[in-house]
Amino acid sequence: MQALHLSCFTATSCLGAGLGATLDTLSTNRSGLARCTFETVELSTHIGEVAGVDDYRLPAELADYNCRNNRLALMALEQDGFAEAVRRAAQRYGAARVGVFLGTSTAGILETEQAYRKLDSSGAFVDPPNYQTRHTPYALTDVVSRTLGLAGPAFAVSTACSSGAKVFASAARLIDAGVIDAAVVGGVDSLCLTTLYGFNSLELVSPEPCRPYDAARRGISIGEAAAFALLERPADTLPGDAVLLAGVGESSDAYHMSSPHPEGRGAEAAMQAALSSAGLAARDVDYLNLHGTATPSNDAAEGQAAMRLFGRDVPMSSTKGATGHTLGAAGALEIVIAALALQNGLIPGSPGSHQLDPALELDYAFAPRRQALGVVMSNSFGFGGSNASVVLRRADAKGHA
Amino acid sequence: MSKLSAYLDGVGALGPGFDNWPQLAAQLSGEAPWQAAPTQLPAPQALPPAERRRVGKPVRLALALGFEAATGVDTTTLATVFTASGGDGDNMHALCTTLAEPERLVSPTRFTNSVHNGPAGYWGIAARAQAPCNVLSAFDAGFTMGLLETLGQVHGEQRAVLLIAYDTPYPGPLARLRPLPDACGVALLLSPERSERSLARIELDTAAAPAGSTGQAELDALANSAPALTALPLLAALAKGQPARCALRTLNGFELAVELQPCA
C-alpha cells in the first residue's frame, strides 16, 4: 500500500491522559491495573480504569451524547493537540474530505445496562437510554465527527478486539481511492458490565493483574481506552521521526467464535499480509507489539505464529500487563504505543510477566529496552476469528524509501 | 469528485414478504404483488449442529443472504463486509435483563454471541472463509457505508467482495427506541472485472443526486423502514433492466450518489 503519515496521534488509558503520561509509564514498566471497584461490579479482578471519566462534561450542545464511552472519547480528543490538528486538516481539505472510522465493541451499553435496572410494570424504561446518540456503535463515530466539525464518510467498525486496528485499513483504502484526503481513525471502548461479567462467564478473567505470555498466566484484565490518529498522504519532506502507516493485513480464522485457531493460523496470515502490504520481510521488523491478552489459548496460538514468522530474532511484548485489554480500543491504543516506541527508541516491557511460557521460544521483552527502531508491527485479534496486523515505520528507517 | 466502481455479480434478498432475490425482483419490477408477511428465516444448514443451535436471527439472516448472493462462488477465499444497525437484539435484551438481576449469571454463549461481528464469525465457520472480513455500524447510513467500504476494498485489493447488509428488530423496551421492521437485508457480490455473471455496473461518487424510488409507495416505505433496505430503489432498476442514478442515505452532511448500469 501507499504509506500514510500519522500526522498526529494520541491515547488515553489507565496509563494516563495523553502521550506524555503513556510514555512515562511504559518507560518505567509500571502498570495502570488496579483492583476492580467499578460501578456495582462484584468480581475479584483487576481493571484498567481511566481516571476522571465520570467528572468530564460534554459541551451543552452534545448533552444527548452523554455516556461513559463518549465522555472518554472527547476527553482523549483534547490531548496532544489532536482536535486542533484535525480541524486544521478539515480547513485544508474541506470537512467532507476527512473521514472518521472508529472501532468500538460496546459503545454506550453501560447506560443501557443501567436503564434495564429501572423498568416499569409494563417492561418499559423509566429512564430510557438514547439509542442513536449513546447505545449504537455509531454513536461514538457520530460524537467525534460532530465535535471535530467533519462531514466526510463515517462509520464504526465493530469486529470485537480487532476493531481499533481494522479502521486503519478502511481509511487507507478510501484515501487511496481518492474519496477522502485524510481520516481520523482510532478506537474507544469503556468499562461496562457486559464485558466484565461476560468474560468472567467464559472463565477468561484473571483474578490477579494479567500476565501476558507468562507460564502462569490466568486470563485477561479488562481495561478501557481511547486512541486516535490522523492519517494523511505524506508530505514531500518529513522529519526523520515521523511515523508512517506502512501496511495492514487482515484475515479470518474461520475456526471458532470465541477461541483462536490453536496454531495461530489466522494470526500468521494477518501478519504475513501486513508485511506483504508494507513490502517488507519478517527480518525488517524491529519490534512486535503482541495481541497478548494473557489467556492461555490466545498467547499459545499467537506465540506459535510469531515463532514461525520471527523465531527469536525479533523482540516482542504485549503491553496489556500495563493497560489491560481495552477490547475494541486495543488495536488503536497499541498502534499508538507502537508509534511512541518508534519515535522514542523504546521497546516496552510487560509489567506482571516474569517467566516466558516454556512452549514458546521467543525474544520476549519483560522489561523496557532502549534501542533504535525503524519498523514495528502491532497485532489485534478478536472474537469471531477477526485478525488484523499493522506495520508502522519511521520516515528515516534505513533501507526503505 | 472521486469515483469507485464495481460489477454486481450476485444478489441476495430476504425480508418481510420475500424469501429470496427472484421473489423480490418480481415484486420490484411489478410482475408480482408485494404483501407484508413475517420474514421466513431458514435454518443455518451450513453450520455444524452445535453452532446451529446457538445462533439467533441475525446469523440465520446474514448466512442466508450471503449464500444466495455468492451461489457458485468459492466462499473460502471471498472477502466480506457486514453492515448492521445493531447486534442481536434478542440476545442483548436477555443479557441486559440478566445483568439487572442480583446474581448476574451471564450465559457464556449469550456473551459470545453479543459481539457485533457474531454473524461474520459464524459466516467464517459456515463458509470456511479465511479472507478478510469487516463489520460496520453506521445507524441509518449502514448500507451506504457498507457499500462504500466494499467498493473501497474492490478498488484497493482488486478482488471480489461480498457485502451483507441486514437489520433485525429489538424486543422489549429497546424496540420503542429503535423501531425496525421484521428481519430483512440485502447481499451484493461485487467484483472488479466484468464476467458472464455480471448483472450490472455500479458506480459511487461523492456528489448530490435525487432521492431514489422503487416506483411503488409501499416498497418505498419498506426501503425507508430499515437501513439494510436502502438499496431497494437501485435493485428496482436492476429488476426492470433500467439504468438509475440516485442518492444513498447518509449522515452528517456527507453526500454519496450511486449509479447503476445493467449489463446487456
mmCIF file of all heavy atoms in Angstrom, chain A residues 62-77:
data_model
loop_
_atom_site.group_PDB
_atom_site.id
_atom_site.type_symbol
_atom_site.label_atom_id
_atom_site.label_comp_id
_atom_site.label_asym_id
_atom_site.label_seq_id
_atom_site.Cartn_x
_atom_site.Cartn_y
_atom_site.Cartn_z
ATOM 1 N N LEU A 62 -24.006 18.827 22.987
ATOM 2 C CA LEU A 62 -23.866 17.379 22.809
ATOM 3 C C LEU A 62 -24.402 16.605 24.025
ATOM 4 O O LEU A 62 -24.039 15.448 24.239
ATOM 5 C CB LEU A 62 -22.402 17.013 22.554
ATOM 6 C CG LEU A 62 -21.814 17.527 21.235
ATOM 7 C CD1 LEU A 62 -20.315 17.213 21.148
ATOM 8 C CD2 LEU A 62 -22.530 16.924 20.025
ATOM 9 N N ALA A 63 -25.280 17.268 24.806
ATOM 10 C CA ALA A 63 -25.775 16.653 26.044
ATOM 11 C C ALA A 63 -26.420 15.283 25.798
ATOM 12 O O ALA A 63 -26.291 14.378 26.619
ATOM 13 C CB ALA A 63 -26.768 17.594 26.724
ATOM 14 N N ASP A 64 -27.097 15.114 24.652
ATOM 15 C CA ASP A 64 -27.741 13.830 24.353
ATOM 16 C C ASP A 64 -26.732 12.686 24.223
ATOM 17 O O ASP A 64 -27.112 11.518 24.280
ATOM 18 C CB ASP A 64 -28.499 13.909 23.013
ATOM 19 C CG ASP A 64 -29.823 14.630 23.168
ATOM 20 O OD1 ASP A 64 -30.235 14.872 24.322
ATOM 21 O OD2 ASP A 64 -30.438 14.954 22.131
ATOM 22 N N TYR A 65 -25.482 13.034 24.001
ATOM 23 C CA TYR A 65 -24.452 12.020 23.773
ATOM 24 C C TYR A 65 -23.772 11.589 25.075
ATOM 25 O O TYR A 65 -22.824 10.818 25.056
ATOM 26 C CB TYR A 65 -23.388 12.541 22.799
ATOM 27 C CG TYR A 65 -23.882 12.683 21.377
ATOM 28 C CD1 TYR A 65 -24.612 13.790 20.974
ATOM 29 C CD2 TYR A 65 -23.630 11.683 20.437
ATOM 30 C CE1 TYR A 65 -25.071 13.914 19.670
ATOM 31 C CE2 TYR A 65 -24.086 11.797 19.130
ATOM 32 C CZ TYR A 65 -24.813 12.915 18.751
ATOM 33 O OH TYR A 65 -25.265 13.033 17.468
ATOM 34 N N ASN A 66 -24.252 12.127 26.211
ATOM 35 C CA ASN A 66 -23.545 11.884 27.464
ATOM 36 C C ASN A 66 -23.605 10.417 27.897
ATOM 37 O O ASN A 66 -24.639 9.928 28.338
ATOM 38 C CB ASN A 66 -24.132 12.776 28.570
ATOM 39 C CG ASN A 66 -23.365 12.633 29.871
ATOM 40 O OD1 ASN A 66 -22.193 12.232 29.867
ATOM 41 N ND2 ASN A 66 -24.020 12.929 30.983
ATOM 42 N N CYS A 67 -22.510 9.718 27.735
ATOM 43 C CA CYS A 67 -22.353 8.367 28.268
ATOM 44 C C CYS A 67 -20.857 8.155 28.472
ATOM 45 O O CYS A 67 -20.044 8.919 27.951
ATOM 46 C CB CYS A 67 -22.940 7.316 27.320
ATOM 47 S SG CYS A 67 -22.093 7.170 25.743
ATOM 48 N N ARG A 68 -20.514 7.133 29.239
ATOM 49 C CA ARG A 68 -19.101 6.935 29.601
ATOM 50 C C ARG A 68 -18.205 6.856 28.365
ATOM 51 O O ARG A 68 -17.133 7.458 28.315
ATOM 52 C CB ARG A 68 -18.952 5.666 30.438
ATOM 53 C CG ARG A 68 -17.533 5.438 30.936
ATOM 54 C CD ARG A 68 -17.400 4.238 31.859
ATOM 55 N NE ARG A 68 -16.051 4.220 32.413
ATOM 56 C CZ ARG A 68 -15.662 4.898 33.485
ATOM 57 N NH1 ARG A 68 -16.514 5.665 34.124
ATOM 58 N NH2 ARG A 68 -14.407 4.847 33.913
ATOM 59 N N ASN A 69 -18.668 6.115 27.347
ATOM 60 C CA ASN A 69 -17.819 5.911 26.178
ATOM 61 C C ASN A 69 -17.569 7.226 25.428
ATOM 62 O O ASN A 69 -16.448 7.513 25.010
ATOM 63 C CB ASN A 69 -18.470 4.892 25.237
ATOM 64 C CG ASN A 69 -17.455 4.142 24.410
ATOM 65 O OD1 ASN A 69 -16.553 3.498 24.955
ATOM 66 N ND2 ASN A 69 -17.575 4.235 23.099
ATOM 67 N N ASN A 70 -18.620 8.032 25.285
ATOM 68 C CA ASN A 70 -18.454 9.297 24.567
ATOM 69 C C ASN A 70 -17.649 10.303 25.395
ATOM 70 O O ASN A 70 -16.887 11.096 24.832
ATOM 71 C CB ASN A 70 -19.820 9.883 24.193
ATOM 72 C CG ASN A 70 -20.509 9.069 23.097
ATOM 73 O OD1 ASN A 70 -19.859 8.301 22.396
ATOM 74 N ND2 ASN A 70 -21.812 9.229 22.974
ATOM 75 N N ARG A 71 -17.820 10.281 26.729
ATOM 76 C CA ARG A 71 -17.007 11.179 27.567
ATOM 77 C C ARG A 71 -15.527 10.828 27.425
ATOM 78 O O ARG A 71 -14.665 11.709 27.269
ATOM 79 C CB ARG A 71 -17.430 11.069 29.046
ATOM 80 C CG ARG A 71 -18.778 11.710 29.360
ATOM 81 C CD ARG A 71 -18.963 11.927 30.862
ATOM 82 N NE ARG A 71 -18.902 10.695 31.642
ATOM 83 C CZ ARG A 71 -19.936 9.901 31.901
ATOM 84 N NH1 ARG A 71 -21.147 10.205 31.437
ATOM 85 N NH2 ARG A 71 -19.798 8.809 32.625
ATOM 86 N N LEU A 72 -15.231 9.523 27.464
ATOM 87 C CA LEU A 72 -13.835 9.085 27.316
ATOM 88 C C LEU A 72 -13.284 9.518 25.951
ATOM 89 O O LEU A 72 -12.143 10.001 25.845
ATOM 90 C CB LEU A 72 -13.761 7.565 27.488
ATOM 91 C CG LEU A 72 -12.421 6.881 27.247
ATOM 92 C CD1 LEU A 72 -11.320 7.490 28.120
ATOM 93 C CD2 LEU A 72 -12.518 5.378 27.515
ATOM 94 N N ALA A 73 -14.115 9.396 24.921
ATOM 95 C CA ALA A 73 -13.675 9.773 23.573
ATOM 96 C C ALA A 73 -13.322 11.256 23.503
ATOM 97 O O ALA A 73 -12.243 11.633 23.018
ATOM 98 C CB ALA A 73 -14.774 9.446 22.559
ATOM 99 N N LEU A 74 -14.206 12.111 24.012
ATOM 100 C CA LEU A 74 -13.967 13.555 23.878
ATOM 101 C C LEU A 74 -12.844 14.024 24.795
ATOM 102 O O LEU A 74 -12.089 14.942 24.454
ATOM 103 C CB LEU A 74 -15.255 14.340 24.149
ATOM 104 C CG LEU A 74 -16.408 14.102 23.165
ATOM 105 C CD1 LEU A 74 -17.355 15.298 23.133
ATOM 106 C CD2 LEU A 74 -15.952 13.773 21.759
ATOM 107 N N MET A 75 -12.722 13.372 25.961
ATOM 108 C CA MET A 75 -11.599 13.662 26.853
ATOM 109 C C MET A 75 -10.279 13.416 26.114
ATOM 110 O O MET A 75 -9.356 14.235 26.159
ATOM 111 C CB MET A 75 -11.691 12.664 28.016
ATOM 112 C CG MET A 75 -11.351 13.162 29.364
ATOM 113 S SD MET A 75 -11.683 11.796 30.547
ATOM 114 C CE MET A 75 -10.009 11.576 31.106
ATOM 115 N N ALA A 76 -10.220 12.307 25.407
ATOM 116 C CA ALA A 76 -8.985 11.926 24.714
ATOM 117 C C ALA A 76 -8.694 12.836 23.523
ATOM 118 O O ALA A 76 -7.525 13.128 23.230
ATOM 119 C CB ALA A 76 -9.076 10.466 24.251
ATOM 120 N N LEU A 77 -9.743 13.307 22.843
ATOM 121 C CA LEU A 77 -9.532 14.189 21.689
ATOM 122 C C LEU A 77 -8.824 15.480 22.085
ATOM 123 O O LEU A 77 -8.186 16.131 21.258
ATOM 124 C CB LEU A 77 -10.878 14.563 21.046
ATOM 125 C CG LEU A 77 -11.608 13.541 20.181
ATOM 126 C CD1 LEU A 77 -12.909 14.152 19.660
ATOM 127 C CD2 LEU A 77 -10.751 13.076 19.019
#
